[in-house]
Amino acid sequence: MNILLTGGAGYIGSHTTIEFIEAGHGVVIVDNFANSNPLVLKRIEEICRQKIPFYNINVADVVKLDEVFYKHKIDAVIHFAGLKAVGESVKIPVKYYRNNIDSTLALLEIMEKHNVNKLIFSSSATVYGEINNIPYIETMPTGHCSNPYAWTKLFIEQILKDVAAVNQDFSVVLLRYFNPVGAHPSGKTGENPNGIPNNLFPYISQVAVGKLVELKIFGNDYPTKDGTGVRDYIHVTDLAKGHVAALEYAKRHKGAEAINLGTGIGCSVLEIVKTFEKANKIKIPYQIVGRRAGDLAEYYADVSKAALLLKWKTQKTLEDMCRDTWRWQMQNPNGYN
Ligand code: NAD
Ligand code: UD1
């Protein structure tokens, strides 16, 4: 099939591009580099040993998006394009709603015009909000989100469900990612945050490489196994393969389906630090500080729906996530810059 990846130059999009090509599909990428770097395309082409059609456009630009659909016969779309910084979304909510929702609406209009009916959407575990017990199951209520970024995911899920309700040919999979981490095993592609990272894995790897002095662990007084926060970390290549499986599912089924992508295992911050140290034979200095506002104590996925419907489960271990993160960081101390 010929797959369009919006936001395909981003962290998850770049790794998913590689997996689709390895699975024998054709790909076309659109991205406006709002949060990515043109060099990533060169790296993907090196890994896949082929040229990839790319368009530097804003997905919300219907005229330019239309041209891409005229130029290429698109069979399905994977929609990654979106802004994702939680803290920033609180400060500039209009920009987040405008970008994430407009791009989705533009994409839906153009897909309908060109009779493209298969869509995989990058949703997030954040839609489960702050009210549910763990593990998170797809049948649980959503909402009670704590920031505009999370609301954009929930609103887009609703828009896509509404479209599926009236278009009997439409098939959409809402993939709710847990915590994607790691990098391609080649060390050529990985996560490339701007400035000081907010998330745990990029922060640890910048401590390991000496760019940051020590990790600050946000709280050790949570009601968890060792007092530090617990999350479901998933290797980005496992996550990427989940999209290939989701597309196979979308080919067989109509309607809208929300599916968790995680390992089903919760890991604490201290467990991550210890595993990173052991896997890479490197010391991570850390200090316990106060809790970060907005953090939940613990959550992880129930992954039985993904196993049942997608016939997919993760293969990589926490050691793999730590090793591949470190390889990427060592080979690219300044990311793609
Ligand atoms: P990313 O920022 O690396 O990738 C997003 C890409 O979309 C970037 O390359 C950016 O330049 C592009 N983009 C943004 N707005 C655009 C627009 N209007 N037109 C064209 N391109 C645009 O983020 P990521 O980590 O790869 O995440 C991909 C998707 O998965 C996002 O929708 C994100 O919200 C979602 N998600 C990410 C995580 C995570 O932890 N990384 C977790 C849950 C969900
Ligand atoms: C964050 C986002 C979430 C997004 C996810 C993607 C927030 C509030 N939430 O979730 O919307 O889907 O990233 O991966 O930003 N930690 C430290 N020190 C650090 C960084 C993190 O102790 O320097 C701890 C956190 O308290 C948390 C765990 O590490 O317990 C994971 O944090 P992080 O990687 O930021 O992810 P989330 O908070 O789960």
Side-chain angles (χ1 to χ4, degrees), residues 86 124 149 179-180 198-200 203 215-218 229 231 233 269 292 295 299:
V86 172
S124 168
Y149 163 73
N179 284 50
N198 291 313
N199 297 121
L200 183 64
Y203 203 103
L215 171 69
K216 292 186 174 40
I217 296 183
F218 298 139
R231 298 288 183 272
Y233 297 93
V269 178
R292 179 171 67 178
D295 273 354
Y299 62 83

mmCIF file with all atom_site columns, all heavy atoms in Angstrom, residues 86 124 149 179-180 198-200 203 215-218 229 231 233 269 292 295 299, ligand 2:
data_model
loop_
_atom_site.group_PDB
_atom_site.id
_atom_site.type_symbol
_atom_site.label_atom_id
_atom_site.label_alt_id
_atom_site.label_comp_id
_atom_site.label_asym_id
_atom_site.label_entity_id
_atom_site.label_seq_id
_atom_site.pdbx_PDB_ins_code
_atom_site.Cartn_x
_atom_site.Cartn_y
_atom_site.Cartn_z
_atom_site.occupancy
_atom_site.B_iso_or_equiv
_atom_site.pdbx_formal_charge
_atom_site.auth_seq_id
_atom_site.auth_comp_id
_atom_site.auth_asym_id
_atom_site.auth_atom_id
_atom_site.pdbx_PDB_model_num
ATOM   1   N N   . VAL A 1 86  ? 3.385  19.455 26.641 1.00 0.00 ? 86  VAL A N   1
ATOM   2   C CA  . VAL A 1 86  ? 2.297  19.665 27.602 1.00 0.00 ? 86  VAL A CA  1
ATOM   3   C C   . VAL A 1 86  ? 2.367  21.062 28.240 1.00 0.00 ? 86  VAL A C   1
ATOM   4   O O   . VAL A 1 86  ? 1.380  21.802 28.256 1.00 0.00 ? 86  VAL A O   1
ATOM   5   C CB  . VAL A 1 86  ? 2.358  18.571 28.691 1.00 0.00 ? 86  VAL A CB  1
ATOM   6   C CG1 . VAL A 1 86  ? 1.379  18.844 29.817 1.00 0.00 ? 86  VAL A CG1 1
ATOM   7   C CG2 . VAL A 1 86  ? 2.108  17.202 28.073 1.00 0.00 ? 86  VAL A CG2 1
ATOM   8   N N   . SER A 1 124 ? -3.166 9.296  22.828 1.00 0.00 ? 124 SER A N   1
ATOM   9   C CA  . SER A 1 124 ? -2.255 9.217  23.979 1.00 0.00 ? 124 SER A CA  1
ATOM   10  C C   . SER A 1 124 ? -2.985 8.678  25.194 1.00 0.00 ? 124 SER A C   1
ATOM   11  O O   . SER A 1 124 ? -4.196 8.893  25.354 1.00 0.00 ? 124 SER A O   1
ATOM   12  C CB  . SER A 1 124 ? -1.745 10.626 24.267 1.00 0.00 ? 124 SER A CB  1
ATOM   13  O OG  . SER A 1 124 ? -1.103 10.665 25.512 1.00 0.00 ? 124 SER A OG  1
ATOM   14  N N   . TYR A 1 149 ? -3.101 20.242 25.556 1.00 0.00 ? 149 TYR A N   1
ATOM   15  C CA  . TYR A 1 149 ? -2.584 19.198 24.664 1.00 0.00 ? 149 TYR A CA  1
ATOM   16  C C   . TYR A 1 149 ? -3.452 17.937 24.780 1.00 0.00 ? 149 TYR A C   1
ATOM   17  O O   . TYR A 1 149 ? -3.888 17.362 23.771 1.00 0.00 ? 149 TYR A O   1
ATOM   18  C CB  . TYR A 1 149 ? -1.120 18.863 25.020 1.00 0.00 ? 149 TYR A CB  1
ATOM   19  C CG  . TYR A 1 149 ? -0.658 17.552 24.441 1.00 0.00 ? 149 TYR A CG  1
ATOM   20  C CD1 . TYR A 1 149 ? -0.408 17.426 23.078 1.00 0.00 ? 149 TYR A CD1 1
ATOM   21  C CD2 . TYR A 1 149 ? -0.511 16.418 25.247 1.00 0.00 ? 149 TYR A CD2 1
ATOM   22  C CE1 . TYR A 1 149 ? -0.014 16.204 22.531 1.00 0.00 ? 149 TYR A CE1 1
ATOM   23  C CE2 . TYR A 1 149 ? -0.119 15.207 24.713 1.00 0.00 ? 149 TYR A CE2 1
ATOM   24  C CZ  . TYR A 1 149 ? 0.128  15.098 23.357 1.00 0.00 ? 149 TYR A CZ  1
ATOM   25  O OH  . TYR A 1 149 ? 0.502  13.887 22.819 1.00 0.00 ? 149 TYR A OH  1
ATOM   26  N N   . ASN A 1 179 ? 4.311  5.506  27.134 1.00 0.00 ? 179 ASN A N   1
ATOM   27  C CA  . ASN A 1 179 ? 5.496  6.391  27.094 1.00 0.00 ? 179 ASN A CA  1
ATOM   28  C C   . ASN A 1 179 ? 6.530  5.892  26.087 1.00 0.00 ? 179 ASN A C   1
ATOM   29  O O   . ASN A 1 179 ? 7.355  5.036  26.425 1.00 0.00 ? 179 ASN A O   1
ATOM   30  C CB  . ASN A 1 179 ? 6.126  6.491  28.482 1.00 0.00 ? 179 ASN A CB  1
ATOM   31  C CG  . ASN A 1 179 ? 5.340  7.391  29.419 1.00 0.00 ? 179 ASN A CG  1
ATOM   32  O OD1 . ASN A 1 179 ? 4.127  7.240  29.548 1.00 0.00 ? 179 ASN A OD1 1
ATOM   33  N ND2 . ASN A 1 179 ? 5.994  8.335  30.053 1.00 0.00 ? 179 ASN A ND2 1
ATOM   34  N N   . PRO A 1 180 ? 6.529  6.436  24.869 1.00 0.00 ? 180 PRO A N   1
ATOM   35  C CA  . PRO A 1 180 ? 7.486  5.974  23.850 1.00 0.00 ? 180 PRO A CA  1
ATOM   36  C C   . PRO A 1 180 ? 8.899  6.459  24.177 1.00 0.00 ? 180 PRO A C   1
ATOM   37  O O   . PRO A 1 180 ? 9.099  7.635  24.473 1.00 0.00 ? 180 PRO A O   1
ATOM   38  C CB  . PRO A 1 180 ? 6.993  6.646  22.559 1.00 0.00 ? 180 PRO A CB  1
ATOM   39  C CG  . PRO A 1 180 ? 5.654  7.231  22.883 1.00 0.00 ? 180 PRO A CG  1
ATOM   40  C CD  . PRO A 1 180 ? 5.627  7.468  24.347 1.00 0.00 ? 180 PRO A CD  1
ATOM   41  N N   . ASN A 1 198 ? 12.150 17.675 28.919 1.00 0.00 ? 198 ASN A N   1
ATOM   42  C CA  . ASN A 1 198 ? 11.174 17.545 29.996 1.00 0.00 ? 198 ASN A CA  1
ATOM   43  C C   . ASN A 1 198 ? 10.990 16.089 30.396 1.00 0.00 ? 198 ASN A C   1
ATOM   44  O O   . ASN A 1 198 ? 10.622 15.785 31.519 1.00 0.00 ? 198 ASN A O   1
ATOM   45  C CB  . ASN A 1 198 ? 9.794  18.053 29.534 1.00 0.00 ? 198 ASN A CB  1
ATOM   46  C CG  . ASN A 1 198 ? 9.805  19.550 29.330 1.00 0.00 ? 198 ASN A CG  1
ATOM   47  O OD1 . ASN A 1 198 ? 10.301 20.282 30.172 1.00 0.00 ? 198 ASN A OD1 1
ATOM   48  N ND2 . ASN A 1 198 ? 9.287  19.991 28.190 1.00 0.00 ? 198 ASN A ND2 1
ATOM   49  N N   . ASN A 1 199 ? 11.206 15.192 29.443 1.00 0.00 ? 199 ASN A N   1
ATOM   50  C CA  . ASN A 1 199 ? 10.875 13.784 29.679 1.00 0.00 ? 199 ASN A CA  1
ATOM   51  C C   . ASN A 1 199 ? 12.075 13.006 30.213 1.00 0.00 ? 199 ASN A C   1
ATOM   52  O O   . ASN A 1 199 ? 13.233 13.383 30.027 1.00 0.00 ? 199 ASN A O   1
ATOM   53  C CB  . ASN A 1 199 ? 10.349 13.143 28.397 1.00 0.00 ? 199 ASN A CB  1
ATOM   54  C CG  . ASN A 1 199 ? 9.052  13.804 27.936 1.00 0.00 ? 199 ASN A CG  1
ATOM   55  O OD1 . ASN A 1 199 ? 8.982  14.335 26.833 1.00 0.00 ? 199 ASN A OD1 1
ATOM   56  N ND2 . ASN A 1 199 ? 8.051  13.812 28.782 1.00 0.00 ? 199 ASN A ND2 1
ATOM   57  N N   . LEU A 1 200 ? 11.744 11.908 30.878 1.00 0.00 ? 200 LEU A N   1
ATOM   58  C CA  . LEU A 1 200 ? 12.757 11.182 31.659 1.00 0.00 ? 200 LEU A CA  1
ATOM   59  C C   . LEU A 1 200 ? 13.914 10.624 30.821 1.00 0.00 ? 200 LEU A C   1
ATOM   60  O O   . LEU A 1 200 ? 15.082 10.847 31.155 1.00 0.00 ? 200 LEU A O   1
ATOM   61  C CB  . LEU A 1 200 ? 12.057 10.038 32.420 1.00 0.00 ? 200 LEU A CB  1
ATOM   62  C CG  . LEU A 1 200 ? 12.960 9.232  33.338 1.00 0.00 ? 200 LEU A CG  1
ATOM   63  C CD1 . LEU A 1 200 ? 13.514 10.106 34.470 1.00 0.00 ? 200 LEU A CD1 1
ATOM   64  C CD2 . LEU A 1 200 ? 12.213 8.041  33.922 1.00 0.00 ? 200 LEU A CD2 1
ATOM   65  N N   . TYR A 1 203 ? 16.319 13.118 29.344 1.00 0.00 ? 203 TYR A N   1
ATOM   66  C CA  . TYR A 1 203 ? 17.034 13.798 30.429 1.00 0.00 ? 203 TYR A CA  1
ATOM   67  C C   . TYR A 1 203 ? 18.171 12.900 30.936 1.00 0.00 ? 203 TYR A C   1
ATOM   68  O O   . TYR A 1 203 ? 19.320 13.337 31.069 1.00 0.00 ? 203 TYR A O   1
ATOM   69  C CB  . TYR A 1 203 ? 16.077 14.162 31.576 1.00 0.00 ? 203 TYR A CB  1
ATOM   70  C CG  . TYR A 1 203 ? 16.606 15.296 32.426 1.00 0.00 ? 203 TYR A CG  1
ATOM   71  C CD1 . TYR A 1 203 ? 16.111 16.588 32.305 1.00 0.00 ? 203 TYR A CD1 1
ATOM   72  C CD2 . TYR A 1 203 ? 17.658 15.078 33.334 1.00 0.00 ? 203 TYR A CD2 1
ATOM   73  C CE1 . TYR A 1 203 ? 16.621 17.643 33.053 1.00 0.00 ? 203 TYR A CE1 1
ATOM   74  C CE2 . TYR A 1 203 ? 18.180 16.122 34.093 1.00 0.00 ? 203 TYR A CE2 1
ATOM   75  C CZ  . TYR A 1 203 ? 17.652 17.401 33.952 1.00 0.00 ? 203 TYR A CZ  1
ATOM   76  O OH  . TYR A 1 203 ? 18.168 18.437 34.689 1.00 0.00 ? 203 TYR A OH  1
ATOM   77  N N   . LEU A 1 215 ? 20.283 13.947 37.341 1.00 0.00 ? 215 LEU A N   1
ATOM   78  C CA  . LEU A 1 215 ? 18.832 13.799 37.158 1.00 0.00 ? 215 LEU A CA  1
ATOM   79  C C   . LEU A 1 215 ? 18.142 14.279 38.426 1.00 0.00 ? 215 LEU A C   1
ATOM   80  O O   . LEU A 1 215 ? 18.597 13.973 39.535 1.00 0.00 ? 215 LEU A O   1
ATOM   81  C CB  . LEU A 1 215 ? 18.507 12.319 36.910 1.00 0.00 ? 215 LEU A CB  1
ATOM   82  C CG  . LEU A 1 215 ? 17.019 11.963 36.922 1.00 0.00 ? 215 LEU A CG  1
ATOM   83  C CD1 . LEU A 1 215 ? 16.310 12.555 35.708 1.00 0.00 ? 215 LEU A CD1 1
ATOM   84  C CD2 . LEU A 1 215 ? 16.823 10.455 36.956 1.00 0.00 ? 215 LEU A CD2 1
ATOM   85  N N   . LYS A 1 216 ? 17.063 15.006 38.249 1.00 0.00 ? 216 LYS A N   1
ATOM   86  C CA  . LYS A 1 216 ? 16.242 15.345 39.404 1.00 0.00 ? 216 LYS A CA  1
ATOM   87  C C   . LYS A 1 216 ? 15.029 14.431 39.372 1.00 0.00 ? 216 LYS A C   1
ATOM   88  O O   . LYS A 1 216 ? 14.247 14.468 38.417 1.00 0.00 ? 216 LYS A O   1
ATOM   89  C CB  . LYS A 1 216 ? 15.816 16.816 39.345 1.00 0.00 ? 216 LYS A CB  1
ATOM   90  C CG  . LYS A 1 216 ? 17.033 17.717 39.526 1.00 0.00 ? 216 LYS A CG  1
ATOM   91  C CD  . LYS A 1 216 ? 16.694 19.166 39.632 1.00 0.00 ? 216 LYS A CD  1
ATOM   92  C CE  . LYS A 1 216 ? 17.917 20.002 39.944 1.00 0.00 ? 216 LYS A CE  1
ATOM   93  N NZ  . LYS A 1 216 ? 19.161 19.594 39.243 1.00 0.00 ? 216 LYS A NZ  1
ATOM   94  N N   . ILE A 1 217 ? 14.908 13.591 40.389 1.00 0.00 ? 217 ILE A N   1
ATOM   95  C CA  . ILE A 1 217 ? 13.757 12.675 40.450 1.00 0.00 ? 217 ILE A CA  1
ATOM   96  C C   . ILE A 1 217 ? 12.627 13.397 41.171 1.00 0.00 ? 217 ILE A C   1
ATOM   97  O O   . ILE A 1 217 ? 12.773 13.820 42.325 1.00 0.00 ? 217 ILE A O   1
ATOM   98  C CB  . ILE A 1 217 ? 14.142 11.351 41.153 1.00 0.00 ? 217 ILE A CB  1
ATOM   99  C CG1 . ILE A 1 217 ? 15.212 10.622 40.326 1.00 0.00 ? 217 ILE A CG1 1
ATOM   100 C CG2 . ILE A 1 217 ? 12.904 10.492 41.384 1.00 0.00 ? 217 ILE A CG2 1
ATOM   101 C CD1 . ILE A 1 217 ? 15.621 9.262  40.869 1.00 0.00 ? 217 ILE A CD1 1
ATOM   102 N N   . PHE A 1 218 ? 11.509 13.509 40.430 1.00 0.00 ? 218 PHE A N   1
ATOM   103 C CA  . PHE A 1 218 ? 10.400 14.310 40.948 1.00 0.00 ? 218 PHE A CA  1
ATOM   104 C C   . PHE A 1 218 ? 9.553  13.507 41.947 1.00 0.00 ? 218 PHE A C   1
ATOM   105 O O   . PHE A 1 218 ? 8.504  12.975 41.589 1.00 0.00 ? 218 PHE A O   1
ATOM   106 C CB  . PHE A 1 218 ? 9.504  14.782 39.794 1.00 0.00 ? 218 PHE A CB  1
ATOM   107 C CG  . PHE A 1 218 ? 10.222 15.669 38.797 1.00 0.00 ? 218 PHE A CG  1
ATOM   108 C CD1 . PHE A 1 218 ? 10.004 15.516 37.436 1.00 0.00 ? 218 PHE A CD1 1
ATOM   109 C CD2 . PHE A 1 218 ? 11.103 16.657 39.217 1.00 0.00 ? 218 PHE A CD2 1
ATOM   110 C CE1 . PHE A 1 218 ? 10.644 16.338 36.504 1.00 0.00 ? 218 PHE A CE1 1
ATOM   111 C CE2 . PHE A 1 218 ? 11.754 17.482 38.305 1.00 0.00 ? 218 PHE A CE2 1
ATOM   112 C CZ  . PHE A 1 218 ? 11.532 17.319 36.948 1.00 0.00 ? 218 PHE A CZ  1
ATOM   113 N N   . GLY A 1 229 ? 7.610  7.748  40.590 1.00 0.00 ? 229 GLY A N   1
ATOM   114 C CA  . GLY A 1 229 ? 6.512  7.610  39.618 1.00 0.00 ? 229 GLY A CA  1
ATOM   115 C C   . GLY A 1 229 ? 6.670  6.362  38.748 1.00 0.00 ? 229 GLY A C   1
ATOM   116 O O   . GLY A 1 229 ? 7.784  5.986  38.388 1.00 0.00 ? 229 GLY A O   1
ATOM   117 N N   . ARG A 1 231 ? 5.481  4.356  35.167 1.00 0.00 ? 231 ARG A N   1
ATOM   118 C CA  . ARG A 1 231 ? 4.926  4.525  33.826 1.00 0.00 ? 231 ARG A CA  1
ATOM   119 C C   . ARG A 1 231 ? 5.153  3.263  33.004 1.00 0.00 ? 231 ARG A C   1
ATOM   120 O O   . ARG A 1 231 ? 5.972  2.423  33.351 1.00 0.00 ? 231 ARG A O   1
ATOM   121 C CB  . ARG A 1 231 ? 5.615  5.686  33.074 1.00 0.00 ? 231 ARG A CB  1
ATOM   122 C CG  . ARG A 1 231 ? 5.458  7.052  33.701 1.00 0.00 ? 231 ARG A CG  1
ATOM   123 C CD  . ARG A 1 231 ? 4.035  7.585  33.536 1.00 0.00 ? 231 ARG A CD  1
ATOM   124 N NE  . ARG A 1 231 ? 3.917  8.924  34.075 1.00 0.00 ? 231 ARG A NE  1
ATOM   125 C CZ  . ARG A 1 231 ? 3.625  9.196  35.346 1.00 0.00 ? 231 ARG A CZ  1
ATOM   126 N NH1 . ARG A 1 231 ? 3.434  8.225  36.217 1.00 0.00 ? 231 ARG A NH1 1
ATOM   127 N NH2 . ARG A 1 231 ? 3.508  10.452 35.748 1.00 0.00 ? 231 ARG A NH2 1
ATOM   128 N N   . TYR A 1 233 ? 6.737  2.261  29.786 1.00 0.00 ? 233 TYR A N   1
ATOM   129 C CA  . TYR A 1 233 ? 7.650  2.714  28.727 1.00 0.00 ? 233 TYR A CA  1
ATOM   130 C C   . TYR A 1 233 ? 7.652  1.689  27.600 1.00 0.00 ? 233 TYR A C   1
ATOM   131 O O   . TYR A 1 233 ? 7.773  0.492  27.847 1.00 0.00 ? 233 TYR A O   1
ATOM   132 C CB  . TYR A 1 233 ? 9.073  2.897  29.287 1.00 0.00 ? 233 TYR A CB  1
ATOM   133 C CG  . TYR A 1 233 ? 9.121  3.964  30.354 1.00 0.00 ? 233 TYR A CG  1
ATOM   134 C CD1 . TYR A 1 233 ? 8.976  3.628  31.706 1.00 0.00 ? 233 TYR A CD1 1
ATOM   135 C CD2 . TYR A 1 233 ? 9.256  5.303  30.015 1.00 0.00 ? 233 TYR A CD2 1
ATOM   136 C CE1 . TYR A 1 233 ? 8.980  4.612  32.694 1.00 0.00 ? 233 TYR A CE1 1
ATOM   137 C CE2 . TYR A 1 233 ? 9.255  6.296  30.992 1.00 0.00 ? 233 TYR A CE2 1
ATOM   138 C CZ  . TYR A 1 233 ? 9.119  5.940  32.336 1.00 0.00 ? 233 TYR A CZ  1
ATOM   139 O OH  . TYR A 1 233 ? 9.113  6.911  33.299 1.00 0.00 ? 233 TYR A OH  1
ATOM   140 N N   . VAL A 1 269 ? 10.803 5.297  38.292 1.00 0.00 ? 269 VAL A N   1
ATOM   141 C CA  . VAL A 1 269 ? 11.945 6.123  37.868 1.00 0.00 ? 269 VAL A CA  1
ATOM   142 C C   . VAL A 1 269 ? 13.244 5.484  38.366 1.00 0.00 ? 269 VAL A C   1
ATOM   143 O O   . VAL A 1 269 ? 14.229 5.385  37.610 1.00 0.00 ? 269 VAL A O   1
ATOM   144 C CB  . VAL A 1 269 ? 11.809 7.572  38.397 1.00 0.00 ? 269 VAL A CB  1
ATOM   145 C CG1 . VAL A 1 269 ? 13.014 8.403  37.984 1.00 0.00 ? 269 VAL A CG1 1
ATOM   146 C CG2 . VAL A 1 269 ? 10.531 8.218  37.900 1.00 0.00 ? 269 VAL A CG2 1
ATOM   147 N N   . ARG A 1 292 ? 6.586  16.918 40.596 1.00 0.00 ? 292 ARG A N   1
ATOM   148 C CA  . ARG A 1 292 ? 6.300  17.850 39.494 1.00 0.00 ? 292 ARG A CA  1
ATOM   149 C C   . ARG A 1 292 ? 4.780  18.039 39.414 1.00 0.00 ? 292 ARG A C   1
ATOM   150 O O   . ARG A 1 292 ? 4.026  17.041 39.418 1.00 0.00 ? 292 ARG A O   1
ATOM   151 C CB  . ARG A 1 292 ? 6.838  17.264 38.172 1.00 0.00 ? 292 ARG A CB  1
ATOM   152 C CG  . ARG A 1 292 ? 6.582  18.120 36.958 1.00 0.00 ? 292 ARG A CG  1
ATOM   153 C CD  . ARG A 1 292 ? 7.317  17.596 35.733 1.00 0.00 ? 292 ARG A CD  1
ATOM   154 N NE  . ARG A 1 292 ? 6.819  16.309 35.260 1.00 0.00 ? 292 ARG A NE  1
ATOM   155 C CZ  . ARG A 1 292 ? 7.289  15.675 34.185 1.00 0.00 ? 292 ARG A CZ  1
ATOM   156 N NH1 . ARG A 1 292 ? 8.277  16.190 33.482 1.00 0.00 ? 292 ARG A NH1 1
ATOM   157 N NH2 . ARG A 1 292 ? 6.786  14.513 33.822 1.00 0.00 ? 292 ARG A NH2 1
ATOM   158 N N   . ASP A 1 295 ? 1.813  15.597 37.691 1.00 0.00 ? 295 ASP A N   1
ATOM   159 C CA  . ASP A 1 295 ? 2.200  14.188 37.511 1.00 0.00 ? 295 ASP A CA  1
ATOM   160 C C   . ASP A 1 295 ? 1.267  13.250 38.267 1.00 0.00 ? 295 ASP A C   1
ATOM   161 O O   . ASP A 1 295 ? 0.884  13.523 39.410 1.00 0.00 ? 295 ASP A O   1
ATOM   162 C CB  . ASP A 1 295 ? 3.628  13.956 38.036 1.00 0.00 ? 295 ASP A CB  1
ATOM   163 C CG  . ASP A 1 295 ? 4.682  14.241 36.984 1.00 0.00 ? 295 ASP A CG  1
ATOM   164 O OD1 . ASP A 1 295 ? 4.319  14.498 35.820 1.00 0.00 ? 295 ASP A OD1 1
ATOM   165 O OD2 . ASP A 1 295 ? 5.885  14.196 37.333 1.00 0.00 ? 295 ASP A OD2 1
ATOM   166 N N   . TYR A 1 299 ? 0.704  4.801  36.216 1.00 0.00 ? 299 TYR A N   1
ATOM   167 C CA  . TYR A 1 299 ? -0.247 4.226  35.263 1.00 0.00 ? 299 TYR A CA  1
ATOM   168 C C   . TYR A 1 299 ? 0.467  3.377  34.223 1.00 0.00 ? 299 TYR A C   1
ATOM   169 O O   . TYR A 1 299 ? 1.640  3.595  33.925 1.00 0.00 ? 299 TYR A O   1
ATOM   170 C CB  . TYR A 1 299 ? -1.152 5.278  34.607 1.00 0.00 ? 299 TYR A CB  1
ATOM   171 C CG  . TYR A 1 299 ? -0.488 6.343  33.757 1.00 0.00 ? 299 TYR A CG  1
ATOM   172 C CD1 . TYR A 1 299 ? -0.157 6.097  32.424 1.00 0.00 ? 299 TYR A CD1 1
ATOM   173 C CD2 . TYR A 1 299 ? -0.242 7.608  34.278 1.00 0.00 ? 299 TYR A CD2 1
ATOM   174 C CE1 . TYR A 1 299 ? 0.415  7.085  31.634 1.00 0.00 ? 299 TYR A CE1 1
ATOM   175 C CE2 . TYR A 1 299 ? 0.335  8.601  33.493 1.00 0.00 ? 299 TYR A CE2 1
ATOM   176 C CZ  . TYR A 1 299 ? 0.662  8.338  32.181 1.00 0.00 ? 299 TYR A CZ  1
ATOM   177 O OH  . TYR A 1 299 ? 1.234  9.311  31.418 1.00 0.00 ? 299 TYR A OH  1
HETATM 178 C C1  . UD1 B 2 .   ? 4.740  13.123 29.728 1.00 0.00 ? 2   UD1 B C1  1
HETATM 179 C C2  . UD1 B 2 .   ? 3.542  13.989 29.393 1.00 0.00 ? 2   UD1 B C2  1
HETATM 180 C C3  . UD1 B 2 .   ? 2.521  13.138 28.658 1.00 0.00 ? 2   UD1 B C3  1
HETATM 181 C C4  . UD1 B 2 .   ? 3.143  12.512 27.411 1.00 0.00 ? 2   UD1 B C4  1
HETATM 182 C C5  . UD1 B 2 .   ? 4.360  11.695 27.863 1.00 0.00 ? 2   UD1 B C5  1
HETATM 183 C C6  . UD1 B 2 .   ? 5.059  11.103 26.674 1.00 0.00 ? 2   UD1 B C6  1
HETATM 184 C C7  . UD1 B 2 .   ? 3.539  15.633 31.215 1.00 0.00 ? 2   UD1 B C7  1
HETATM 185 C C8  . UD1 B 2 .   ? 2.824  16.118 32.456 1.00 0.00 ? 2   UD1 B C8  1
HETATM 186 N N1  . UD1 B 2 .   ? 3.006  14.540 30.635 1.00 0.00 ? 2   UD1 B N1  1
HETATM 187 O O1  . UD1 B 2 .   ? 4.285  12.095 30.565 1.00 0.00 ? 2   UD1 B O1  1
HETATM 188 O O2  . UD1 B 2 .   ? 1.424  13.944 28.257 1.00 0.00 ? 2   UD1 B O2  1
HETATM 189 O O3  . UD1 B 2 .   ? 2.209  11.656 26.774 1.00 0.00 ? 2   UD1 B O3  1
HETATM 190 O O4  . UD1 B 2 .   ? 5.271  12.556 28.562 1.00 0.00 ? 2   UD1 B O4  1
HETATM 191 O O5  . UD1 B 2 .   ? 6.171  10.352 27.004 1.00 0.00 ? 2   UD1 B O5  1
HETATM 192 O O6  . UD1 B 2 .   ? 4.510  16.232 30.766 1.00 0.00 ? 2   UD1 B O6  1
HETATM 193 N N2  . UD1 B 2 .   ? 10.659 12.367 35.822 1.00 0.00 ? 2   UD1 B N2  1
HETATM 194 C C9  . UD1 B 2 .   ? 11.641 12.688 36.755 1.00 0.00 ? 2   UD1 B C9  1
HETATM 195 N N3  . UD1 B 2 .   ? 12.596 13.580 36.380 1.00 0.00 ? 2   UD1 B N3  1
HETATM 196 C C10 . UD1 B 2 .   ? 12.641 14.155 35.135 1.00 0.00 ? 2   UD1 B C10 1
HETATM 197 C C11 . UD1 B 2 .   ? 11.632 13.809 34.187 1.00 0.00 ? 2   UD1 B C11 1
HETATM 198 C C12 . UD1 B 2 .   ? 10.647 12.921 34.574 1.00 0.00 ? 2   UD1 B C12 1
HETATM 199 O O7  . UD1 B 2 .   ? 11.645 12.192 37.876 1.00 0.00 ? 2   UD1 B O7  1
HETATM 200 O O8  . UD1 B 2 .   ? 13.544 14.972 34.868 1.00 0.00 ? 2   UD1 B O8  1
HETATM 201 C C13 . UD1 B 2 .   ? 9.625  11.382 36.201 1.00 0.00 ? 2   UD1 B C13 1
HETATM 202 C C14 . UD1 B 2 .   ? 8.189  11.925 36.169 1.00 0.00 ? 2   UD1 B C14 1
HETATM 203 O O9  . UD1 B 2 .   ? 7.842  12.466 37.397 1.00 0.00 ? 2   UD1 B O9  1
HETATM 204 C C15 . UD1 B 2 .   ? 7.396  10.654 35.814 1.00 0.00 ? 2   UD1 B C15 1
HETATM 205 C C16 . UD1 B 2 .   ? 8.371  9.832  34.960 1.00 0.00 ? 2   UD1 B C16 1
HETATM 206 O O10 . UD1 B 2 .   ? 9.668  10.338 35.244 1.00 0.00 ? 2   UD1 B O10 1
HETATM 207 O O11 . UD1 B 2 .   ? 7.121  9.916  36.977 1.00 0.00 ? 2   UD1 B O11 1
HETATM 208 C C17 . UD1 B 2 .   ? 8.100  9.966  33.464 1.00 0.00 ? 2   UD1 B C17 1
HETATM 209 O O12 . UD1 B 2 .   ? 8.076  11.343 33.120 1.00 0.00 ? 2   UD1 B O12 1
HETATM 210 P P1  . UD1 B 2 .   ? 7.997  11.830 31.585 1.00 0.00 ? 2   UD1 B P1  1
HETATM 211 O O13 . UD1 B 2 .   ? 9.042  11.124 30.797 1.00 0.00 ? 2   UD1 B O13 1
HETATM 212 O O14 . UD1 B 2 .   ? 8.036  13.321 31.616 1.00 0.00 ? 2   UD1 B O14 1
HETATM 213 O O15 . UD1 B 2 .   ? 6.610  11.295 31.077 1.00 0.00 ? 2   UD1 B O15 1
HETATM 214 P P2  . UD1 B 2 .   ? 5.135  11.495 31.710 1.00 0.00 ? 2   UD1 B P2  1
HETATM 215 O O16 . UD1 B 2 .   ? 5.155  12.462 32.829 1.00 0.00 ? 2   UD1 B O16 1
HETATM 216 O O17 . UD1 B 2 .   ? 4.570  10.157 31.962 1.00 0.00 ? 2   UD1 B O17 1
#
